[in-house]
């Protein structure tokens, strides 16, 4: 029988709810139950050590379910898992169930000797009875709308990978605009709201993340229409579902071409120009209320015109979202109200948008938190317009240093003047940074040390190495200029030869392919000189779909990718969810250590029908374009044998004949690669995960980046062992090492025959192959 642990900030609450739940079953049938609540009898709080002790006491070998009262208790419970034996941690689940109803459901179910998974599932459904009785169940948003004081109530679990960020929030606001109903949105998971559904800014400040429960209260003459519209919006993931129509997506998508020499990787040298992006409003002279209202309206019109002009030349849609934010009726009403209350227009703009930015910065999701920069960007534009200045900042020539890079600044950077950008705060996921990167500007972000650099100081940026050179001496300058010239010349030569085969000095042909995650990426790969694809990431390709794609839907997309690559061979990796690659249509329980949890083929063994459909789609596509299939996260021959058996079954039903390979991304599969010779036609070495698992470094943790970049001798030994085992067969590398020109010779010497890389680097990698001399011993 499983054990149960109750975690609460209040000891009296924890004991009371445990006593209530215990009354539901006879004493002899009760599971082991422990309470870890409060710091003492009267002090609120949670103690990770006490939780760990309670888990150990409650465990009988069948697992432990942990129920918590508030969000911060989750952090303590997660920390407790680090204190206990890993095997016990692996059979312990922290549940999102409601404390009272969930505990009652859990103790009753556990008393029947149910498994941990069964008890957890029942606990999560603890509110179902109450919700059904009250008619507000979030599980079925298609049910008859629930009335709420003369209106309707709509509930929806957010499924968007990045939550309800700017674009989906904008789709919600736009979709409901014009409907005669009052709609108020809440984040019931975080107890935030309600806010008006007409306010883009207010909706974003709710911090609706993936998995949060959104609730809408709808009142008014057209409430039924609003409910229906909201339902349609929700089921399309608020515009982020990609119901791909290959007849459209298989064609070349037009987008502005950048100078191919502007890769964002070039070294730049120039004078520092500190840009004070916050305008000086100290000399603003306020007028009376009508004057200030007229100034605000004129400023809004000026900013709107600037955004509309920028939006026409952008393919990213960011300026359209900013335009919606600017014209947010809720925000405009608040600004006008502030002015009518006596505030000058410039102070109203400063106060309101500063408040909005602070609300975004309080959100714990980094993607949503970065939207604070958008709010400050609009604030700056409006203030400039109120001061009678140009809406877009006047930017000098050189390397620009600024506190942060907002979209309006990024969109107006002049490539003839701006050499590169350094931000002293902010991260790498803001809209402005993404825009500047898409335009090919070298960037360094979050460099607080640049704040004290005097204007006019000579600087150099090496974005590849992430290095900033302040006032380099003559020797450094000479070295940088030499490297700068070398990179430019190498890039030009690589572009010129990108579509020619890559052959070493000894005459060995190495296939250089592209890693693909979209149909557009396949077009870009062909333009860059790709010889097919060594990795089609299906979990990324369909990452925004709100349903598992059918056999036909997948096959059409795979065929479109093949066509985009001129029918060169593509290697399709089967579903590889888990860890840092969630799928909206494949929910997985939270895991204490997801990178060591249910990933890749492990998930497919639990959900074989999902794999069967994908294999059928791959076989169908193979009848139109050359295809190979590859299975991820294989650690034992038993797993590969199972995967191949599913392929055999699919082949009997669909027909076709394709090669089947496997990813080598763990020490286990590399060390025992010979065990797979009868099971795999080829291997592809995923060096990102192989490095992570070999060196015990989290590739997403910046604090251990230097460890991952340090001595990788053990990783190289494993690559060589796997390649040697498959000598005479295709051996591909598809991780970051393949995209490193300096690693190419060593990979080829180890016996690698294919390199699958990021599309912009294909030309450079081919050049690195050609530079491998005859003297390098290449395994045949």
């Amino acid at each position: 029988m499983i054990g149960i642990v109750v975690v609460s900030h209040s000891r009296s609450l924890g004991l009371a709810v445990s006593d209530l739940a215990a009354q539901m079953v006879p004493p002899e049938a009760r599971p082991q139950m422990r309470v870890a609540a409060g710091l003492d009898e009267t002090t609120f709080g949670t103690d990770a050590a006490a939780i760990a002790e309670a888990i150990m006491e409650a465990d009988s070998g069948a697992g432990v379910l942990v129920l918590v009262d508030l969000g911060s208790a989750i952090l303590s419970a997660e920390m407790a898992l680090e204190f206990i034996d890993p095997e016990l941690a692996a059979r312990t689940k922290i549940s999102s169930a409601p404390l009272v109803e969930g505990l009652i459901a859990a103790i009753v179910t556990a008393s029947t000797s149910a498994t941990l998974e069964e008890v957890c599932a029942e606990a999560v459904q603890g509110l179902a009875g109450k919700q059904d009785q009250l008619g507000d169940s979030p599980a079925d948003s298609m049910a008859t709308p629930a009335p709420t004081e003369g209106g309707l109530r709509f509930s929806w679990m957010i499924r968007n990978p990045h939550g309800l960020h700017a674009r989906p929030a904008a789709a919600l606001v736009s979709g409901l605009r014009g409907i005669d109903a009052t709609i108020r949105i809440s984040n019931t998971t975080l107890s935030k709201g309600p806010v008006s559904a007409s306010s883009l800014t207010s909706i974003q400040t709710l911090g609706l993340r993936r998995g949060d429960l959104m609730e809408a209260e709808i009142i008014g003459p057209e409430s039924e229409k609003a409910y229906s519209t909201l339902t349609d919006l929700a089921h399309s993931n608020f515009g982020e579902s990609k119901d791909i129509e290959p007849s459209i997506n298989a064609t070349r998508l037009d987008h502005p071409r950048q100078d191919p020499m502007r890769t964002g990787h070039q070294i730049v040298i120039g004078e520092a120009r500190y840009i004070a992006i916050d305008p000086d409003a100290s000399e603003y002279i306020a007028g009376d209320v009508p004057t200030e209202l007229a100034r605000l309206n004129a400023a809004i019109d000026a900013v709107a015109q600037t955004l509309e002009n920028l939006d026409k030349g952008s393919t990213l849609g960011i300026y359209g979202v900013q335009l919606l934010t600017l014209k947010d009726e809720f925000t405009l009403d608040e600004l006008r109200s502030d002015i009518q209350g006596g505030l000058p227009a410039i102070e109203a703009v400063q106060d309101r948008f500063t408040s909005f930015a602070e609300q975004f910065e309080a959100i714990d999701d980094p993607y949503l938190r970065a939207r604070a920069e958008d709010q400050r960007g609009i604030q700056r534009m409006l203030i400039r317009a109120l001061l009678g200045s140009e809406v877009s900042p006047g930017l000098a020539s050189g390397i620009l240093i600024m506190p942060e890079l907002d979209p309006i600044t990024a969109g107006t950077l002049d490539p003839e003047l701006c050499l590169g950008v350094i931000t002293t705060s902010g991260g790498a996921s803001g809209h402005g940074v993404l825009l500047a990167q898409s335009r090919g500007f070298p960037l360094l972000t979050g460099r607080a040390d640049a704040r004290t650099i005097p204007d006019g100081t000579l600087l150099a940026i090496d974005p590849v190495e992430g290095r900033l050179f302040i006032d380099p001496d003559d020797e450094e300058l000479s070295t940088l200029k030499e490297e700068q010239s070398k990179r430019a010349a190498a890039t030009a030569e690589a572009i010129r030869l990108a579509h020619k085969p890559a052959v070493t000095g000894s005459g060995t042909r190495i296939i250089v392919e592209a890693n693909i995650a979209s149909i557009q990426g396949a077009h870009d790969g062909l333009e860059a000189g790709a010889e097919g694809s060594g990795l089609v990431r299906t979990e990324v390709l369909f990452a925004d779909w709100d349903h598992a794609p059918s056999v036909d839907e997948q096959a059409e997309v795979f065929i479109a990718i093949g066509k985009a690559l001129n029918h060169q061979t593509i290697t399709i990796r089967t579903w590889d969810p888990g860890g840092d690659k969630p799928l909206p249509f494949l929910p997985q329980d939270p895991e204490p250590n997801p990178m060591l949890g249910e990933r890749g083929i492990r998930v497919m063994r639990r959900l074989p029908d999902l794999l069967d459909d994908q294999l059928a789609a791959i076989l169908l596509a193979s009848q139109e374009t050359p295809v190979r299939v590859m299975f991820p996260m294989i650690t034992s021959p038993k797993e590969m044998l199972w995967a191949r058996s599913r392929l055999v079954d699919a082949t009997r039903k669909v027909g076709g004949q394709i090669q089947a390979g496997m990813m080598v991304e763990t020490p286990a599969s590399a060390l025992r690669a010979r065990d797979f010779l009868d099971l795999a036609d080829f291997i592809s070495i995923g060096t990102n995960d192989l490095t992570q698992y070999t060196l015990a470094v989290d590739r997403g943790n910046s604090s251990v980046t230097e460890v991952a970049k340090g001595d990788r001798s053990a990783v190289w030994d494993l690559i060589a062992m796997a390649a040697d085992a498959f000598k005479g067969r295709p051996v591909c590398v598809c991780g970051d090492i393949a995209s490193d020109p300096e690693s190419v010779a060593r990979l080829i010497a180890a016996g690698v025959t294919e390199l699958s890389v990021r599309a912009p680097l294909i030309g450079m990698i081919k050049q690195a192959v050609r530079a491998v001399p005859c003297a390098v011993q290449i395994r045949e």
Side-chain angles (χ1 to χ4, degrees), residues 90-414:
R91 61 175 183 268
T92 300
K93 281 186 175 291
I94 302 171
S95 174
S96 61
L99 186 60
V100 177
E101 294 88 347
L103 180 58
I104 291 172
I107 196 170
V108 172
T109 307
S111 69
T112 66
S113 298
T115 66
L116 177 61
E117 288 72 24
E118 291 170 337
V119 176
C120 185
E122 285 298 316
V124 170
Q125 293 298 315
L127 284 176
K130 184 188 293 183
Q131 289 169 332
D132 288 344
Q133 187 174 355
L134 295 175
D136 64 347
S137 173
D140 184 8
S141 65
M142 292 298 290
T144 302
T148 171
E149 295 188 11
L152 304 173
R153 183 185 297 110
F154 174 91
S155 296
W156 182 259
M157 194 75 74
I158 299 298
R159 300 181 297 185
N160 302 60
H162 292 298
L164 218 62
H165 59 92
R167 290 188 187 89
L172 186 153
V173 172
S174 299
L176 295 174
R177 184 166 291 156
I179 298 177
D180 188 7
T182 299
I183 308 162
R184 294 174 65 77
I185 307 291
S186 299
N187 182 338
T188 58
T189 301
L190 299 180
S191 299
K192 286 188 173 182
V195 301
S196 170
S198 66
S199 171
L200 175 61
T201 299
S202 297
I203 289 173
Q204 290 184 87
T205 61
L206 293 176
L208 282 158
R209 302 160 300 182
R210 183 179 179 184
D212 285 358
L213 185 63
M214 181 191 82
E215 187 168 282
E217 299 172 359
I218 308 169
I219 301 173
E222 293 186 323
S223 56
E224 292 280 356
K225 179 180 179 181
Y227 186 96
S228 175
T229 301
L230 190 52
T231 299
D232 291 341
L233 287 166
H235 278 273
S236 71
N237 281 348
F238 303 96
E240 286 201 320
S241 291
K242 293 185 178 178
D243 296 323
I244 297 176
E245 299 179 13
S247 60
I248 296 174
N249 287 276
T251 59
R252 185 69 173 91
L253 303 181
D254 292 329
H255 57 82
R257 294 295 307 276
Q258 299 291 337
D259 179 352
M261 295 294 291
R262 288 185 66 90
T263 63
H265 292 171
Q266 63 269 26
I267 291 176
V268 291
I269 302 169
E271 292 186 352
R273 290 289 178 262
Y274 197 91
I275 305 299
I277 55 177
D278 292 315
D280 181 7
S282 60
E283 297 184 6
Y284 181 81
I285 300 175
D288 57 18
V289 169
T291 299
E292 291 300 283
L293 287 172
R295 288 176 177 175
L296 175 66
N297 291 335
I300 290 168
D301 290 342
V303 173
Q305 185 62 56
T306 300
L307 290 172
E308 287 170 359
N309 291 338
L310 286 168
D311 193 47
K312 292 174 184 176
S314 172
T315 61
L316 299 181
I318 292 173
Y319 296 114
V321 172
Q322 287 225 312
L323 193 57
L324 276 174
T325 303
L326 174 69
K327 294 186 175 181
D328 187 320
E329 285 300 326
F330 172 80
T331 302
L332 296 180
D333 288 346
E334 293 292 308
L335 288 171
R336 291 173 184 132
S337 176
D338 290 343
I339 292 170
Q340 289 167 345
L343 275 183
I346 209 158
E347 287 187 31
V349 167
Q350 287 173 326
D351 292 351
R352 283 292 166 187
F353 283 95
T354 296
S355 174
F356 292 147
E358 289 172 349
Q359 290 178 61
F360 278 109
E361 288 176 331
I363 298 173
D364 58 6
D365 182 279
Y367 190 87
L368 294 174
R369 190 166 59 244
R371 303 290 79 80
E373 295 178 8
D374 293 359
Q375 298 296 321
R376 287 191 288 266
I378 294 173
Q379 179 190 62
R380 294 178 189 119
M381 288 186 279
L382 285 171
I383 291 175
R384 290 189 193 105
L386 287 167
L387 292 170
S389 305
E390 289 290 328
V391 170
S392 56
L395 299 179
S397 62
I399 295 176
L400 309 185
I401 303 174
M402 57 188 71
E404 63 185 18
L405 186 58
D406 58 65
I408 187 71
T409 304
T412 54
L413 290 174
D414 187 342

